[in-house]
Amino acid sequence: MTEAPTAALGAAPGPLRQRQPHPDAQAPLAFGAHAREALANANLQRALHHVKEGFQDKRLAAMDRLPEFDALRDAARDIKDHVLAHLDIYLERFATAVEARGGHVHWARDAAEARAMVLDICRRENARTVTKGKSMVAEEIGLNPFLEENGIEPVETDLGEYIVQLRGETPSHIIAPAIHVVKEEIADAFRREHEGLAPERDLTDRRALLDEARVVLRRRYFQADVGITGANFLVAETGSGVIVTNEGNGDMTRTLPRVHVALATIEKIVPTLDDLAVLLRVLARSATGQDFSTYTTVYTGARRPDDPDGPEAFHVVLLDNGRSALLGGELREVLRCIRCGACMNHCPVYQRVGGHAYGWVYPGPIGAIMTPALTAIATSHPLPNASTLCGRCEEVCPVRIPLPKLLRYWRTEAAAAGLPPLAERLGLTLWAWLARRPALYRLAVRQIARRLKARAGDRGALRRLPLMGGWAGHWLQGRDLPAPQGRSFMDQWRAQKKGTRL
């Protein structure tokens, strides 16, 4: 790395802000209110404008360069399904391989156990500062606030994670944590938190921001006693972990401190290095549109006697946190997820409201399925409804998770539990009653269409709907509703069957 000429060598970071913890998983998630705030946030809307150019277009270009991409998606799906069917065998094989190379494997049933295991390792090493690579599992268990409560300072080293840590926020995207922040807001955070630098320094250029963060974070790497990373994959046959980054921070977090802790969930296992190669080929292309990420590191154990560098000790904390309960149920396919973020990059809802509107760790379509599974549908039932069910998420998923089907599963569960608002339940009950009576249903549709058409008049569109001022009123604030024209779908279908002209 090269140091920035704009950053004084004597500069020091101020004390990092305590990261705002994710809301209590037992508290109701107010997606609607958060979404309205997001739509009114001009900076957020400006930041989200880059999603198409930054992710969608690059993914398409990457697919064009690899004709066998869809075949690789099938292979990746099959590998994940095989692992899930034999997860106990591969987890034991991985643990045996890690321990054979002097590593330590810790089995955590839930978030509290995982936090306690990491804290115990840190205390045994007398750690006061830990560096962290990007880890959504650490977010899931609330690791940063827990370490801070226990007198240990966590320092995020992924640039996006570092920015949201300075701002006291949580990530809003699983691979681009600070996607909701514009350049000017980053500059404000650096001026506020980086002490000892000239206040008048120029931070209008992205390169200047990057260089300043690099200088500040380099010192933090050498101060840390323990490095904590996530793991994109764990290889059962060798006991290896895999870190995929574009900044190299994961490698420095793993190799510079005396102790490395890898924090991963149980479904991250892959059987062999050959299987890993298949998954890596679809991961970066789906995530950032790269053929491969800039840094892809496969590491095995702690430093050996002849190694020039590396940690003296290596620990893996394997977290279940409800995932084994998903293996035998309707949501099993969600465990195929390799955390590429493609579903949220292509979701029309996420692109308008960003990740914080979802209210918990995992945003977007995958979050709308994972959050009820890891918390409770009673508190998170608005999330499965935060989707148009357009199917784009399933189309781009590199492991072919049927996300719309799983979203419908949660909607059904919520309806069965009586969780949707009373008006919505009454409306669906009335619709179901009518749908079971085709003649009456057709009569009702014709009458409603006729009245709406008459109400629209010559304009041909409606600005308000009678008796539906609530949700329809919000929808009509930004658009008109075209009045029904011609025959209904059922009338046209019946006419076609009879061979008559439409």
Side-chain angles (χ1 to χ4, degrees), residues 80-88 327 332:
K80 293 296 293 185
D81 282 347
H82 172 79
V83 169
L84 295 176
H86 305 87
L87 189 56
D88 54 340
L327 277 174
R332 175 194 184 100

Side-chain angles (χ1 to χ4, degrees), residues 124-318:
R124 279 192 272 125
E125 299 296 332
N126 295 317
R128 306 306 301 170
T129 301
V130 301
T131 45
K132 285 184 67 252
K134 189 176 180 325
S135 167
M136 292 306 294
V137 180
E139 296 294 328
E140 180 180 323
I141 67 173
L143 184 60
N144 279 14
F146 180 76
L147 291 177
E148 290 161 354
E149 290 168 8
N150 286 278
I152 297 173
E153 183 185 32
V155 180
E156 297 288 351
T157 61
D158 173 273
L159 181 57
E161 292 278 359
Y162 179 65
I163 290 167
V164 297
Q165 186 178 26
L166 289 183
R167 289 166 54 87
E169 297 178 323
T170 55
S172 65
H173 191 289
I174 61 175
I175 66 166
I179 194 172
H180 59 287
V181 185
V182 296
K183 185 176 60 174
E184 292 79 6
E185 292 173 318
I186 299 172
D188 290 343
F190 281 14
R191 291 187 193 283
R192 185 179 62 244
E193 303 294 337
H194 292 168
E195 299 175 350
L197 296 172
E200 67 276 8
R201 66 191 186 280
D202 183 8
L203 292 178
T204 57
D205 180 65
R206 287 184 173 82
R207 181 73 205 189
L209 292 168
L210 178 64
D211 288 343
E212 182 166 312
R214 185 173 284 172
V215 170
V216 171
L217 283 174
R218 169 167 288 195
R219 179 174 302 174
R220 294 296 196 151
Y221 284 117
F222 291 102
Q223 291 171 339
D225 305 293
V226 173
I228 301 172
T229 69
N232 292 87
F233 301 101
L234 303 170
V235 184
E237 70 171 349
T238 58
S240 305
V242 182
I243 300 175
V244 176
T245 73
N246 277 318
E247 301 171 15
N249 65 298
D251 297 310
M252 296 183 74
T253 300
R254 190 188 72 80
T255 57
L256 291 179
R258 289 181 287 108
V259 178
H260 173 214
V261 179
L263 190 55
T265 46
I266 56 176
E267 80 278 13
K268 294 292 183 72
I269 294 282
V270 296
T272 66
L273 291 170
D274 287 340
D275 296 320
L276 171 66
V278 173
L279 292 162
L280 287 174
R281 293 185 76 191
V282 297
L283 175 62
R285 289 179 171 88
S286 301
T288 53
Q290 297 166 281
D291 294 341
F292 250 69
S293 296
T294 308
Y295 299 91
T296 299
T297 302
V298 180
Y299 59 89
T300 305
R303 181 173 59 191
R304 294 164 297 189
D306 296 333
D307 287 344
D309 56 24
E312 298 169 7
F314 172 55
H315 298 262
V316 184
V317 176
L318 280 170

